[in-house]
Amino acid sequence: MSLFKHITRQNSSTALFLTRHLSSAATATASKLHERYTFEPPPSLSSSSQNPNEPPTKPHRKKTKPRYQPPSSLDRTGKKPIRSSLPFDFRFSYTESSQTVRPIGLREPKYSPFGPDRIDRPWTGVCAPAVDPKVKELDGDEDPKLEEERKKKREYVQGDSLTNAERKALVLQCERGKTKRQVNMGRDGLTHNMLIEIHNHWKYTEAVRIKCMGVPTVDMKNICAQLEDKTFGKVIFRHGGTLILYRGRNYNPRKRPVIPIMLWKPHEPVYPRLIKTAIDGLSIEETKAMRKRGLAVPALTKLAKNGYYAHLVSMVRDAFLACELVRIDCQGLERSDYKKIGCKLRDLVPCILVTFDKEQIVIWRGKDYKHLKDEYFLKDRESFEDGDGGGDLLTDEDEELNDTNL
């Protein structure tokens, strides 16, 4: 037992000696490193550099990237305005606006719907004229030089006229079962951006089908005239509200005209009232009695929404032979739509507007009414063949086929 205690004491003394020896060696080594390399700790690691009153510093975080914003079409910094050589005034709608009726006011400031400084034409609140509005006369008539320039350009683009066989081939290519290329024309008529859509179709095909519905179909001849005048194309076939518009022999898609896009629909200006308090030549009591009597007259026809109204003018003219007041039922239509229809009837029949109450159009033929039998309006179907041509463009079988396909 005494031997075991002796060995234990000897081992503990040996361990203590070794511990003291190693600690002294480590201290000597550290002091030698400090003397040889003169190492000093950085201030961030030294305990004396930190102020106890200051909060501890947060670790460095990576800055978040800003969100990607696509370039705006309204940002025109460093860009020149778009210059277009088209010889006509830019309007929102070319078929539903009249140059003869001058507005009496504007509903908004003269902000250009093409965007600020995007085109080299100023916006007058109604249109972007091709000539300087300060130099232009105030008559409302268009500059005859622009009409001449459009005529020359259209003749050059069209080139030689199509033969009946070529027309027939183009019409058959535009059937509904053979192609889906179609431009739809609604209550706004021929709009400015529709010109861009037509030229986009002409890039891949010679002719495009146009489907007309709603208010503009009251005057189909105006639609055909404006399409040919603004696009320099030619209407080669028409059946009801469906048109086939041909681009021309000399049309080059790479040299298509520059048409700036209209970014939003401008507000319509303020025009004179369509319905007056007293009709010209009548007193206020007589006008009220006529409105009451007109609402009780049997309706000539009921207009469907987005229908085809090309026969409406001839129906009203024939009805005026038997009755001085005509009522047209417009239930289900927008108020702005049947107001535009009444305005077109006033100019085309001609007649006098009595009232728009209860979603009805009541018109009066006037005291000195004369029935007009002019050939202003188009037929229900036209093939637009040459005068020299040999017969109709389409045979009876082709007409029955197009009745279902176009």
Side-chain angles (χ1 to χ4, degrees):
M1 185 69 180
S2 60
L3 179 63
F4 179 74
K5 289 182 179 180
H6 177 72
I7 294 172
T8 305
R9 288 177 184 175
Q10 189 177 2
N11 290 340
S12 62
S13 60
T14 307
L16 181 62
F17 173 77
L18 290 173
T19 304
R20 289 178 179 177
H21 178 71
L22 290 174
S23 63
S24 61
T27 307
T29 306
S31 61
K32 288 181 180 179
L33 288 174
H34 179 71
E35 291 176 359
R36 182 177 297 180
Y37 298 106
T38 63
F39 173 77
E40 293 181 1
S44 60
L45 299 178
S46 61
S47 58
S48 61
S49 62
Q50 293 183 358
N51 191 355
N53 298 328
E54 293 181 359
T57 57
K58 295 182 179 180
H60 177 70
R61 292 183 180 179
K62 189 177 180 181
K63 293 183 178 179
T64 57
K65 292 183 178 180
R67 293 181 63 184
Y68 172 73
Q69 295 181 354
S72 173
S73 59
L74 298 177
D75 187 11
R76 303 292 299 175
T77 53
K79 297 181 181 179
K80 295 182 179 180
I82 301 171
R83 179 176 178 80
S84 179
S85 59
L86 289 173
F88 55 84
D89 300 346
F90 291 160
R91 297 173 178 268
F92 172 73
S93 178
Y94 297 103
T95 57
E96 304 308 300
S97 59
S98 176
Q99 297 181 1
T100 57
V101 181
R102 292 179 61 85
I104 59 177
L106 300 176
R107 301 181 189 273
E108 63 177 357
K110 296 180 182 180
Y111 293 133
S112 175
F114 297 96
D117 302 328
R118 289 190 72 248
I119 61 173
D120 61 345
R121 301 185 183 187
W123 181 256
T124 62
V126 180
C127 65
V131 297
D132 190 357
K134 297 179 181 178
V135 180
K136 190 176 180 180
E137 298 179 356
L138 298 177
D139 304 344
D141 298 332
E142 194 179 16
D143 190 358
K145 293 182 180 179
L146 295 178
E147 189 176 354
E148 241 177 78
E149 189 177 346
R150 289 200 304 272
K151 188 177 179 181
K152 289 181 181 178
K153 195 166 185 178
R154 183 171 176 270
E155 288 176 355
Y156 169 75
V157 171
Q158 287 299 313
D160 298 334
S161 58
L162 293 172
T163 63
N164 289 339
E166 289 173 334
R167 282 196 189 91
K168 182 176 178 180
L170 289 174
V171 171
L172 294 178
Q173 285 177 9
C174 293
E175 288 179 0
R176 189 177 298 174
K178 293 185 178 180
T179 180
K180 293 184 179 179
R181 294 188 179 278
Q182 177 174 304
V183 179
N184 295 321
M185 184 183 297
R187 61 162 59 96
D188 292 328
L190 178 62
T191 59
H192 179 80
N193 290 344
M194 199 177 291
L195 303 179
I196 304 174
E197 190 175 355
I198 290 172
H199 282 281
N200 289 341
H201 284 293
W202 278 349
K203 185 178 179 181
Y204 303 101
T205 183
E206 291 183 281
V208 62
R209 185 175 67 242
I210 300 175
K211 182 71 173 178
C212 307
M213 299 173 291
V215 179
T217 59
V218 176
D219 191 359
M220 286 299 297
K221 187 169 184 179
N222 182 38
I223 292 177
C224 296
Q226 292 295 333
L227 279 170
E228 293 182 350
D229 187 54
K230 300 301 184 290
T231 62
F232 310 118
K234 186 176 181 181
V235 178
I236 60 174
F237 182 77
R238 186 182 71 85
H239 176 63
T242 303
L243 309 173
I244 305 296
L245 188 64
Y246 173 61
R247 67 183 186 181
R249 289 188 186 273
N250 299 330
Y251 180 83
N252 188 357
R254 296 181 180 179
K255 296 182 180 179
R256 57 183 284 184
V258 179
I259 306 176
I261 188 172
M262 190 172 282
L263 301 179
W264 63 82
K265 179 181 177 180
H267 287 283
E268 293 184 1
V270 182
Y271 288 101
R273 288 175 60 98
L274 294 175
I275 305 296
K276 298 181 180 179
T277 306
I279 299 173
D280 296 338
L282 299 177
S283 63
I284 297 178
E285 290 76 12
E286 292 175 340
T287 303
K288 289 182 179 179
M290 182 174 289
R291 286 173 183 161
K292 188 175 180 180
R293 188 158 43 96
L295 291 173
V297 171
L300 176 65
T301 182
K302 178 174 172 46
L303 300 182
K305 190 174 183 180
N306 293 331
Y308 177 67
Y309 313 139
H311 304 295
L312 189 60
V313 175
S314 59
M315 291 173 64
V316 171
R317 285 182 177 179
D318 294 340
F320 277 156
L321 295 175
C323 183
E324 63 174 358
L325 285 172
V326 171
R327 178 171 68 91
I328 301 170
D329 190 359
C330 302
Q331 288 186 358
L333 271 69
E334 297 285 342
R335 183 171 178 82
S336 59
D337 288 356
Y338 59 78
K339 274 191 171 184
K340 290 179 181 178
I341 293 173
C343 184
K344 288 177 181 290
L345 292 176
R346 180 194 63 182
D347 298 334
L348 299 175
V349 172
C351 58
I352 299 172
L353 295 173
V354 178
T355 184
F356 289 124
D357 291 345
K358 299 180 180 179
E359 297 184 350
Q360 309 291 318
I361 300 177
V362 179
I363 49 181
W364 180 45
R365 69 182 180 184
K367 293 181 178 180
D368 302 325
Y369 175 73
K370 294 180 180 180
H371 183 65
L372 298 179
K373 291 185 178 181
D374 56 358
E375 297 181 357
Y376 179 80
F377 301 99
L378 301 178
K379 302 176 183 177
D380 188 43
R381 173 190 290 275
E382 286 193 340
S383 56
F384 300 92
E385 76 248 19
D386 290 335
D388 312 337
D392 294 335
L393 173 61
L394 299 178
T395 62
D396 294 338
E397 295 179 358
D398 293 332
E399 288 182 355
E400 291 178 2
L401 182 65
N402 282 321
D403 284 340
T404 56
N405 292 339
L406 282 180

